Amino acid sequence: QVQLAESGGGSVQAGGSLTLSCSVSYWKNCMGWFRRAPGKEREGVAASFVGGAETYYADSVKGRFLVTQDVTKHILFLQMNNLKPEDTATYYCAASRRTGGCGLASSYYGFYGRGTQVTVSS
């Protein structure tokens, strides 16, 4: 079973940046980032095929967040720029459950990390 461990969360002022990291025990074909804000449903924010160029972003983060991989080091990154208070959430790394498609829907994923908290103050 794939093991995922997020790090890099913290508190930042609006307009600031953070980069989250996810240590991956072994790659699945599709990797993603999800978040859950208090009182809200979990939502997919970014995803990509491992080793591929195609990426997916939620409209709310498009142009501000960037998902990348260090394939040899088994690390997935989420670079977050121009952060807004509405980005405050617990962020989770996710790995797909099977070979096939990729995207932001939770149905693609079968494995999640424990999460890392991101807090953006105004």
Side-chain angles (χ1 to χ4, degrees):
Q1 181 166 331
V2 63
Q3 302 293 320
L4 306 169
E6 305 91 341
S7 61
S11 297
V12 64
Q13 289 192 322
S17 298
L18 281 174
T19 298
L20 305 183
S21 301
C22 175
S23 175
V24 183
S25 60
Y26 64 91
W27 290 114
K28 303 290 279 186
N29 78 302
C30 172
M31 301 293 299
W33 287 96
F34 284 73
R35 68 184 180 187
R36 176 176 280 153
K40 293 190 176 181
E41 300 269 329
R42 182 176 60 192
E43 64 168 339
V45 295
S48 70
F49 282 102
V50 174
E54 195 163 359
T55 55
Y56 308 85
Y57 296 97
D59 288 344
S60 59
V61 307
K62 206 169 289 183
R64 300 188 297 121
F65 288 15
L66 179 68
V67 59
T68 58
Q69 311 149 11
D70 186 325
V71 175
T72 57
K73 293 184 178 179
H74 282 226
I75 304 175
L76 181 74
F77 298 100
L78 182 68
Q79 182 179 336
M80 307 185 293
N81 300 314
N82 190 22
L83 283 161
K84 303 176 180 181
E86 52 263 42
D87 294 318
T88 295
T90 301
Y91 284 72
Y92 301 88
C93 177
S96 58
R97 64 175 73 239
R98 64 178 70 88
T99 301
C102 189
L104 301 179
S106 59
S107 57
Y108 287 114
Y109 301 92
F111 307 95
Y112 293 86
R114 292 178 177 270
T116 186
Q117 178 67 35
V118 172
T119 302
V120 184
S121 58
S122 57

